[in-house]
Amino acid sequence: MESLLQKLAVENGLVLSFAVVGLVVLFSGYISRKLTVGRVQGSAIAILIGLALAYVGGRMTGGNKGLADVTYFSGLALMGGNMLRDFAIVATAFEVQPSEAKRAGWIGALALLIGTFLPFIIGVSIAYAFGYRDAVSLTTIGAGTVTYIVGPVTGTAIGASSEVITLAIAVGVFKAILVMVTTPMLAKFMHLSTPRSAMVFGGLAGTVSGVSAGLAATDRKLVPYGALVATFHTGLGCLLCPSLLYFAVRALFPAHV
Amino acid sequence: MPLYGTALLAVCHLLGILFGELLGRALGVQANVGGVGIAMLLLIAARFYGHQRGWLEAKSEEGVNYWAALYIPVVIAMAMQQNVLKALSGGPMALAAAITTVAACACCVSFINRREVVAPAETSAK
């Protein structure tokens, strides 16, 4: 019987994922209405439940794909993977008002630049505070603070040790999760209500996963604007961190101090 | 037919990712530079011209809107496969770096957005 169920689950992985996520959304909507009287959005609760399940999955399997590493739920890797995530994000572009996007274009670009430099500087400072002194490690951890993809890309490019690269990924993943969880709570403080404000947020908060989930949990209408800017974040980080920013760090911290 | 919309979405997606890859190579970066963003711009342009020239029917748009509606469930599935364990394994340094960054960025966003909202009203206030 169990092997039959497992076969069914594995062979229909994507279909099962739709059902599982549907159940989680249904349950979250119920909690949102009954326990928080609609104050906390259903999708915010669903994302929190998703992260909790990812933790459980990681604990159970020791893998690195959360719940998707559990055989029964392997279809989640496809449903929540980069391909369908990006496909759905692109689809939301249909809701973009070109005039709004154009008006905020320059400030979105400015936010992108600050969103690369600021996390990098903070990452380098904190790595320094924790005892790292060589330019390669400092840069890699700074890059990981930009996004969890920029970290390993930069680290590999400039020859960081695998422990430092792992640490950089951990920083980036933690940042993404933190953005997912805190965006709805900080939405008022950040004045996150207009297309333009969402573009500023998308540029500064970085990571597509953090921004897309954070905005989904805050206001679905803002998603395309934030995502439009955020999708340039990783590329810009991968461009600046191993080059300009690495040279700057190397100038500040010459080898073997 | 909704399929036309989904096919249009797929073509924009692929072209965007392709341009992003090419842009990355041209810049000498080991990453896709804004592929998804370029795809979004392509789709926005396709919708604009489609409406203007009248070849984009409401029925076809459904094929895109459905995928846009699937966005939140897809993001929840994405949350379910985050490497939460790894994030927590980074120890105090990862924690400190991530929390400080998010806090600083939130303040920065707040600062910029505050100015946007206030700007038009300020002229009458002062």
Side-chain angles (χ1 to χ4, degrees):
Chain A
M1 187 66 192
E2 201 186 323
S3 67
L4 178 73
L5 283 181
Q6 189 159 339
K7 187 169 176 283
L8 185 77
V10 171
E11 287 180 358
N12 300 281
L14 181 61
V15 176
L16 180 73
S17 310
F18 284 132
V20 170
V21 174
L23 273 178
V24 170
V25 172
L26 194 69
F27 179 64
S28 311
Y30 180 80
I31 294 183
S32 163
R33 280 189 305 277
K34 297 285 165 185
L35 290 184
T36 74
V37 213
R39 201 165 294 164
V40 181
Q41 271 218 35
S43 40
I45 296 171
I47 286 166
L48 279 179
I49 294 177
L51 290 172
L53 291 174
Y55 177 77
V56 174
R59 260 289 153 89
M60 279 170 67
T61 63
N64 50 23
K65 278 195 159 177
L67 197 62
D69 277 329
V70 179
T71 320
Y72 281 93
F73 302 110
S74 54
L76 284 170
L78 181 55
M79 183 176 172
N82 284 349
M83 180 174 68
L84 285 188
R85 185 198 65 188
D86 291 347
F87 197 58
I89 290 178
V90 175
T92 65
F94 244 40
E95 299 151 22
V96 168
Q97 298 292 329
S99 53
E100 294 276 8
K102 231 185 265 171
R103 214 156 47 99
W106 68 271
I107 196 132
L110 176 72
L112 260 179
L113 279 176
I114 306 176
T116 304
F117 285 102
L118 185 65
F120 184 84
I121 294 167
I122 292 175
V124 170
S125 312
I126 290 192
Y128 186 86
F130 275 82
Y132 289 91
R133 289 294 180 273
D134 62 296
V136 169
S137 301
L138 289 168
T139 304
T140 304
I141 293 165
T145 318
V146 179
T147 83
Y148 59 83
I149 296 174
V150 180
V153 167
T154 304
T156 311
I158 61 179
S161 70
S162 67
E163 297 97 88
V164 169
I165 292 181
T166 307
L167 193 56
I169 299 174
V171 175
V173 175
F174 195 74
K175 179 191 168 196
I177 292 171
L178 211 57
V179 172
M180 290 181 200
V181 175
T182 58
T183 303
M185 301 176 208
L186 296 173
K188 266 230 174 81
F189 169 69
M190 294 191 289
H191 292 256
L192 211 50
S193 54
T194 60
R196 189 183 127 133
S197 65
M199 287 173 79
V200 171
F201 170 75
L204 262 154
T207 77
V208 179
S209 44
V211 168
S212 54
L215 285 178
T218 307
D219 184 350
R220 170 66 177 76
K221 285 195 296 292
L222 301 177
V223 165
Y225 297 100
L228 188 59
V229 179
T231 54
F232 285 91
H233 208 271
T234 292
L236 186 67
C238 290
L239 178 65
L240 292 177
C241 290
S243 55
L244 185 72
L245 289 170
Y246 173 54
F247 297 139
V249 173
R250 211 172 47 178
L252 279 171
F253 304 97
H256 306 295
V257 180
Chain B
M1 202 158 78
L3 175 68
Y4 291 143
T6 309
L8 175 71
L9 169 62
V11 170
C12 289
H13 175 114
L14 293 170
L15 282 178
I17 303 284
L18 178 70
F19 285 146
E21 287 292 335
L22 290 176
L23 190 58
R25 287 214 184 153
L27 293 168
V29 176
Q30 299 162 324
N32 191 300
V33 179
V36 174
I38 297 170
M40 291 176 89
L41 295 175
L42 286 174
L43 191 66
I44 294 170
R47 177 165 180 261
F48 183 77
Y49 288 113
H51 278 186
Q52 210 176 40
R53 310 242 164 111
W55 52 255
L56 190 67
E57 303 169 18
K59 206 76 188 148
S60 309
E61 291 199 9
E62 277 173 28
V64 181
N65 291 334
Y66 177 73
W67 281 101
L70 269 186
Y71 171 78
I72 288 191
V74 163
V75 163
I76 293 165
M78 177 188 82
M80 286 180 184
Q81 51 160 319
Q82 292 297 309
N83 200 350
V84 180
L85 218 53
K86 174 116 178 189
L88 297 176
S89 74
M93 208 210 80
L95 224 73
I99 291 174
T100 318
T101 306
V102 171
C105 285
C107 290
C108 222
V109 173
S110 176
F111 176 73
I112 297 176
N113 285 343
R114 221 168 280 252
R115 288 181 53 206
E116 179 219 354
V117 180
V118 169
E122 210 175 36
T123 43
S124 59
K126 274 187 179 174

